[in-house]
């Protein structure tokens, strides 16, 4: 049996407190955006979950590289977990974006670079699980799916920069020194960064849990044979 | 199947909206060729023989990718007069050939690598499009945009960002192929 690390328990509690804190902060203490109104508050969680999704896809590729170098199952488990969690965060980002876009753009979906690349990124990582499901032995499964995870990580920067490369209606948030950047007051900027930190910690916590589960699965399979 | 249907929606959105169906048609055709090129080797275990030859594995990848590229490009060459006839537009232009060569080079480079992946799975032929289309979508968009530019008579300099994107994809995916081919075919 795998022992649960006390640090993980600490992360559990920390992410619970942070989520509750961020929710209260965003719901009651951030100023209302003058034009968009309360729906603008989706933004804090939307950007944070998109950020967490991309981060975990990068983590998935990095762990995949770790597997190819060391050939230890733990790295593959981490890669799988990061991609699975990232898929969920990406979905949250898309759905929360739709909630915001419905009143603001008057449609929940437009075919423009950022939305399309994000959706394609989700499809690419969905295919990762189809690939995994079709591979026979655990060794081949781990080896081939990590290769795929590393190749597909190029879509992450493509998605991130899509609103900077092409002209689109998606707002650019992180663009220091440019006119098109979001102008946020400090009262909006602080909760924004807090929600970024919250989602990052939640991401680490979830990936860790999922990795533990994956390692247990691997051990279980080995004992079964 | 659901994922495949979703992918087709994405592909068609771009190809039908951005005029030339040429690129999408070639992409579909190339997938068939890619699948055949690798599964042919597996059927009679010819791949094992190839792997036994004392050459670098990357040479095998390069050879496979090159032959796939040549065949698809040949198909494109045959397709051009047909398209010219049906669309009442002269397609046999040098810039268009350049765009096609760049686009297909990138597409087949990535496709060869992914075909080697998918051929080792149980689902085989079905899996390749699911892996390949979303990854190739940026290439396809760039190729379609560049083709559209050429067909509307723009000079090549006007579309240098799309051509650059194709070139970058070409280098990136060929490098990925050379890097990972050995890992994929490990026994």
């Amino acid at each position: 049996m795998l022992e649960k690390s006390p640090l993980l328990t600490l992360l559990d509690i920390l992410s619970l407190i942070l989520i509750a804190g961020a929710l209260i902060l965003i719901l009651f203490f951030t100023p209302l955006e003058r034009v968009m109104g309360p729906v603008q508050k989706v933004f804090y969680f939307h950007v944070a979950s998109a950020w967490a999704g991309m981060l975990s896809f990068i983590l998935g590729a990095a762990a995949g590289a770790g597997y190819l170098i060391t050939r230890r199952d733990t790295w593959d488990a981490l890669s799988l977990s990061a991609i699975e969690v990232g898929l969920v965060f990406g979905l949250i980002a898309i759905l929360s974006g739709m909630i915001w876009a419905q009143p603001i753009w008057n449609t929940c979906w437009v075919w423009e670079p950022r939305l399309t690349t994000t959706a394609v990124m989700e499809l690419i990582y969905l295919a990762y699980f189809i690939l995994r499901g079709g591979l026979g032995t655990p060794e081949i499964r781990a080896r081939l799916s990590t290769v795929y995870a590393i190749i597909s990580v190029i879509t992450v920067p493509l998605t991130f920069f899509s609103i900077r490369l092409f002209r689109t209606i998606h707002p650019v948030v992180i663009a220091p020194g440019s006119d098109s950047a979001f102008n946020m007051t400090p009262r909006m900027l602080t909760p924004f960064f807090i929600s970024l930190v919250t989602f990052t910690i939640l991401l680490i916590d979830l990936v860790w849990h999922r990795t533990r589960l994956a390692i247990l699965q691997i051990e279980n399979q080995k004992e079964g044979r | 199947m659901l994922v495949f249907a979703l992918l087709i929606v994405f592909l068609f959105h771009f190809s039908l909206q951005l005029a030339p169906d040429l690129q999408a048609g070639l992409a579909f055709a190339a997938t068939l060729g890619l699948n055949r090129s690798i599964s042919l080797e597996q059927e009679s275990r010819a791949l094992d023989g190839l792997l036994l030859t004392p050459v670098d594995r990357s040479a095998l990848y390069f050879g496979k990718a090159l032959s796939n590229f040549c065949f698809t490009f040949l198909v494109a060459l045959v397709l051009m007069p047909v398209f010219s006839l049906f669309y009442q537009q002269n397609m046999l232009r040098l810039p268009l050939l350049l765009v096609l060569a760049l686009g297909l080079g990138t597409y087949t480079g990535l496709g060869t690598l992914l075909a080697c992946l998918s051929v080792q799975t149980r689902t085989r032929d079905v899996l390749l499009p699911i892996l390949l289309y979303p990854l190739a979508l940026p290439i396809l968009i760039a190729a379609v945009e560049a083709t559209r530019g050429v067909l509307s008579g723009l000079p090549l300099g006007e579309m240098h960002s799309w051509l650059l994107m194709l070139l970058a994809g070409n280098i990136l995916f060929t490098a990925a192929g050379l890097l990972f081919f050995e890992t994929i075919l490990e026994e």
Side-chain angles (χ1 to χ4, degrees):
Chain A
M1 221 2 235
L2 221 57
E3 282 298 316
K4 184 173 176 181
S5 149
L7 190 61
L8 183 57
T9 319
L10 187 73
L11 269 176
D12 286 348
I13 300 165
L14 191 65
S15 50
L16 269 179
I17 294 172
L18 271 173
I19 288 172
L23 261 179
I24 293 169
L25 191 68
I26 288 164
L27 286 179
F28 300 112
F29 295 99
T30 53
L32 272 184
E33 217 271 346
R34 200 195 300 159
V35 186
M36 294 190 250
V39 78
Q40 185 267 337
K41 294 190 176 190
V42 164
F43 153 84
Y44 297 103
F45 274 11
H46 170 68
V47 178
S49 54
W51 153 258
M54 289 188 188
L55 198 67
S56 62
F57 289 143
I58 293 172
L59 179 67
Y67 173 80
L68 287 184
I69 294 166
T70 61
R71 298 295 164 121
R72 282 174 53 191
D73 288 336
T74 322
W75 284 110
D76 178 51
L78 178 61
S79 173
L80 163 73
S81 313
I83 287 173
E84 197 169 300
V85 173
L87 204 62
V88 176
F89 274 119
L91 201 64
I92 294 174
I94 291 178
L95 289 178
S96 59
M98 281 177 169
I99 294 172
W100 175 81
Q102 186 61 46
I104 304 299
W105 292 343
N106 206 16
T107 169
C108 60
W109 187 264
V110 281
W111 291 97
E112 59 86 48
R114 172 49 79 83
L115 273 63
T116 312
T117 46
T118 312
V120 169
M121 184 172 79
E122 289 284 290
L123 283 176
I124 286 174
Y125 283 104
L126 209 60
Y128 172 84
F129 290 100
I130 300 175
L131 173 70
R132 251 191 119 80
L135 288 166
T137 67
E139 196 272 326
I140 296 180
R141 190 190 305 146
R143 179 156 48 86
L144 295 190
S145 47
T146 47
V147 169
Y148 181 74
I150 295 171
I151 298 173
S152 41
V153 83
I154 60 147
T155 57
V156 174
L158 193 72
T159 307
F160 184 78
F161 289 112
S162 61
I163 47 175
R164 292 160 184 83
L165 288 176
F166 309 105
R167 191 174 303 162
T168 109
I169 65 170
H170 192 285
V172 180
V173 178
I174 305 160
S178 96
D179 294 336
S180 62
F182 250 42
N183 291 315
M184 284 189 278
T185 67
R187 280 180 64 207
M188 289 167 112
L189 212 56
T190 319
F192 173 61
F193 281 117
I194 288 175
S195 70
L196 276 188
V197 172
T198 306
F199 269 70
T200 312
I201 287 174
L202 178 66
L203 168 75
I204 298 168
D205 187 52
L206 287 177
V207 169
W208 195 338
H209 273 290
R210 182 66 183 86
T211 312
R212 266 169 50 85
L213 191 67
I215 292 172
L216 282 177
Q217 272 174 337
I218 293 169
E219 282 179 4
N220 207 6
Q221 263 176 356
K222 277 183 182 158
E223 277 168 28
R225 244 185 288 157
Chain B
M1 281 221 299
L2 177 74
V3 179
F4 187 76
L6 274 174
L7 286 172
I8 298 298
V9 170
F10 273 82
L11 271 184
F12 275 172
H13 173 79
F14 285 100
S15 58
L16 292 185
Q17 193 197 31
L18 299 176
D21 313 323
L22 178 69
Q23 299 286 354
L26 280 174
F28 285 132
T31 318
L32 297 176
L34 286 167
N35 248 331
R36 283 301 296 156
S37 78
I38 309 289
S39 59
L40 210 66
E41 304 285 7
Q42 276 228 325
E43 262 164 28
S44 44
R45 299 191 68 81
L47 199 62
D48 292 351
L50 274 180
L51 290 178
L52 281 175
T53 49
V55 290
D56 205 65
R57 294 278 160 88
S58 53
L60 290 181
Y61 165 76
F62 211 69
K64 274 260 167 262
L66 201 65
S67 78
N68 278 329
F69 168 71
C70 290
F71 276 121
T72 341
F73 196 65
L74 217 64
V75 172
L77 283 184
V78 177
L79 214 62
M80 303 267 257
V82 181
F83 262 75
S84 309
L85 187 72
F86 285 130
Y87 284 77
Q88 306 288 317
Q89 221 169 10
N90 183 16
M91 289 258 190
L92 287 168
R93 303 180 201 181
L94 212 54
L96 190 58
L97 285 181
L98 177 74
V99 169
L100 275 177
L102 273 177
L104 287 178
T106 317
Y107 191 77
T108 47
L110 176 65
T112 309
L113 186 65
L114 291 179
C116 291
L117 271 180
S118 69
V119 84
Q120 301 189 39
T121 64
R122 279 186 298 258
T123 34
R124 293 180 133 224
D125 301 350
V126 191
L127 192 62
L128 179 63
I130 293 176
L131 296 181
L132 178 57
Y133 291 162
L135 270 174
L137 199 67
I139 305 163
L140 203 71
I141 294 173
V144 166
E145 288 287 345
T147 312
R148 204 162 59 142
V150 170
L151 287 182
S152 53
L154 290 174
L156 275 181
E158 291 267 309
M159 313 166 295
H160 73 277
S161 62
W162 296 116
L163 292 178
L164 224 59
M165 197 167 152
L166 286 178
L167 195 67
N170 222 325
I171 294 168
L172 193 72
F173 288 134
T174 314
L178 295 178
L179 195 65
F180 291 124
F181 198 65
E182 198 162 335
T183 322
I184 291 175
L185 286 183
E186 226 169 65
E187 285 291 324

